[in-house]
Amino acid sequence: MNYQIKVPSCVYGGEESIQKVKTVIAQENAKKVVVFTDKGIQSTGLLDKLFAVLKGIEYEIFDDLTAEPAYQDIERVMKQVEGCKGDMIIAIGGGSVMDAAKLCSVLKDADYTVKDLLEDPALAKKQIKTIMIPTTCGTGSEATCNAIVAIPEEQSKKGIVNDAMIPDYVILDAQMIAKLPKSIIAATGVDALAHCVECFTSKKATPFSDLYAMQGAKLIFKNIREAYNQPDNMEAKRNMLLGAFYGGIAITGSGTTAVHALSYPLGGKYHIAHGVSNAILFAHVMEFNKEACKERLAILCDAVEPTLIAKSIDEKAQYIIEQIADIVKVTNIPVDLQEFGVKMEDLDFLVDAGSKQTRLLVNNRKELSLNDIREIYLKVLK
């Protein structure tokens, strides 16, 4: 088997690593910076840290970015960005902000549109370099060549995947998540854990992706409860930020599976936050998959909890699944779909929309029939 992995060309980590932004701008001889963010980030004061670093450098801010953006939102933002003479993009925010910035990095001054990329992602070519500064501990977007957009007319989401979107520079500064609300730590942290576990159990897993997926899973399993329950535990938050980044790298070498595939309709139609929709499905999908990937789950168990080394493969696999369910429970992620307006009569739509996520379903070690998909959704339709 031949395999590869692609990672950002330069990654800075550690306290105050945001200061490296000025170094990068000087290295790239950038004259004007385009800053992508959202109004929520603006209100936290996190941008003040970036503005202090950008003192003396010309920049323009684009903060009219929506959570879980539709492709039309990207088109609207691109019309604004086209008139800007910036020659480097900085994205400071969560996955939606970084995904929008990555798309703009291949769309600015290009002769194709985001809708063209939905039809043929291979069209994408890097137009402008990027710096990613994540402010959550979960999406891994700062490491990947993926950008997820909603398609309202299909009431679902789709990933645009092209190596040209891999960020050029990444800043992993735990100060950016120091005051992250507990609910966001929970949802984004479980999303990152899903990246690691799915990539490790994916049909496309390789020795490269396994390295990052296993280490990312270990960091998140060991730190998510502390990061959630102890707001001042910066060591746990540093580990969460690193685990999320490793999960993103694992995606570029492997790929997520049925958890993400079946979560997309929940986000696309009902606007359930991506991490929450993954959390709702995570343990149920892994339980369905267990027979096909129990050996892989057992290997994860050995890494996460070495004291269980003498247990059977089945017991170890079950331990990982139970840990996933427990993390979702103790971090108080809402799992009742009725809270989000999902009704039993929506089941046929969910099955149909979920079954169309073939880009991810082909990675699943256990094939899902339409009836299998129906049974999984029934488990979360309480």
Side-chain angles (χ1 to χ4, degrees):
M1 176 178 71
N2 293 318
Y3 46 88
Q4 66 172 24
I5 199 162
K6 294 199 173 183
V7 299
S9 59
C10 186
V11 184
Y12 295 102
E15 302 298 319
E16 296 300 323
S17 53
I18 193 171
Q19 298 295 328
K20 293 295 183 179
V21 167
K22 185 165 268 188
T23 303
V24 172
I25 290 171
Q27 283 176 188
E28 295 292 341
N29 198 28
K31 304 303 182 191
K32 182 178 180 181
V33 174
V34 180
V35 178
F36 278 78
T37 189
D38 62 40
K39 290 183 168 58
I41 300 297
Q42 287 261 39
S43 68
T44 64
L46 286 177
L47 284 185
D48 294 344
K49 291 180 178 290
L50 178 61
F51 294 156
V53 177
L54 292 179
K55 191 172 183 181
I57 297 167
E58 188 180 0
Y59 60 86
E60 189 168 346
I61 301 170
F62 294 90
D63 65 358
D64 189 21
L65 297 173
T66 56
E68 318 270 338
Y71 72 87
Q72 294 94 333
D73 295 316
I74 302 298
E75 289 176 340
R76 173 180 52 77
V77 172
M78 275 311 306
K79 287 177 182 173
Q80 300 169 6
V81 175
E82 287 293 3
C84 174
K85 299 298 184 186
D87 48 12
M88 175 159 257
I89 290 175
I90 297 176
I92 178 167
S96 295
V97 167
M98 291 189 284
D99 280 4
K102 289 194 294 186
L103 282 168
C104 288
S105 77
V106 298
L107 287 166
K108 191 177 189 312
D109 302 321
D111 57 3
Y112 47 80
T113 67
V114 67
K115 199 163 186 182
D116 293 330
L117 294 182
L118 283 167
E119 296 297 322
D120 183 6
L123 292 171
K125 300 288 185 291
K126 178 85 77 174
Q127 308 290 328
I128 179 173
K129 288 191 175 182
T130 57
I131 305 173
M132 300 287 147
I133 308 173
T135 60
T136 70
C137 52
T139 69
S141 180
E142 69 275 9
T144 73
C145 54
N146 304 5
I148 310 301
V149 293
I151 306 174
E153 57 267 34
E154 296 178 9
Q155 297 184 309
S156 194
K157 293 180 175 181
K158 187 173 181 179
I160 297 171
V161 183
N162 186 297
D163 287 350
M165 288 193 292
I166 291 179
D168 299 285
Y169 298 90
V170 177
I171 308 287
L172 299 176
D173 188 337
Q175 288 299 318
M176 296 295 106
I177 65 167
K179 296 180 180 178
L180 196 63
K182 291 177 70 173
S183 61
I184 308 299
I185 286 176
T188 61
V190 171
D191 183 29
L193 185 60
H195 294 158
C196 295
V197 175
E198 287 181 85
C199 285
F200 196 77
T201 57
S202 167
K203 273 203 241 177
K204 292 181 181 173
T206 76
F208 289 160
S209 64
D210 283 353
L211 177 69
Y212 289 99
M214 179 184 285
Q215 184 62 18
K218 186 176 177 180
L219 285 168
I220 297 166
F221 272 123
K222 291 291 190 183
N223 289 278
I224 188 168
R225 294 176 181 87
E226 289 78 3
Y228 179 81
N229 287 314
Q230 301 167 17
D232 296 328
N233 191 331
M234 288 305 295
E235 181 65 22
K237 290 181 177 179
R238 276 191 292 273
N239 287 332
M240 288 298 295
L241 194 62
L242 196 56
F245 177 68
Y246 288 164
I249 294 178
I251 288 173
T252 70
S254 174
T256 54
T257 61
V259 178
H260 273 66
L262 301 189
S263 80
Y264 282 169
L266 295 177
K269 181 171 183 176
Y270 309 99
H271 307 294
I272 302 173
H274 177 64
V276 173
S277 59
N278 282 328
I280 290 168
L281 291 159
F282 196 177
H284 296 291
V285 172
M286 295 317 298
E287 186 69 49
F288 171 83
N289 281 343
K290 184 171 70 171
E291 276 307 304
C293 62
K294 60 186 179 182
E295 290 84 3
R296 302 289 287 172
L297 291 173
I299 293 169
L300 273 184
C301 182
D302 289 342
V304 172
E305 196 50 70
T307 60
L308 301 179
I309 195 78
K311 296 286 186 182
S312 70
I313 287 174
D314 282 324
E315 288 172 319
K316 291 175 184 178
Q318 194 59 41
Y319 173 82
I320 290 294
I321 295 169
E322 288 172 359
Q323 286 297 298
I324 290 165
D326 184 66
I327 286 168
V328 173
K329 182 178 180 180
V330 301
T331 57
N332 298 299
I333 297 175
V335 294
D336 184 353
L337 284 179
Q338 291 184 10
E339 288 184 30
F340 302 101
V342 187
K343 302 179 176 64
M344 190 61 74
E345 51 263 38
D346 297 326
L347 182 59
D348 286 344
F349 160 76
L350 290 171
V351 173
D352 179 62
S355 70
K356 290 177 179 174
Q357 298 294 333
T358 53
R359 178 179 69 88
L360 303 181
L361 289 175
V362 296
N363 299 340
N364 211 63
R365 283 182 185 258
K366 187 173 179 182
E367 191 170 336
L368 284 87
S369 67
L370 289 176
N371 192 57
D372 292 331
I373 294 172
R374 181 177 297 273
E375 289 299 315
I376 291 170
Y377 279 129
L378 277 171
K379 288 181 184 297
V380 298
L381 272 171
K382 297 174 183 177

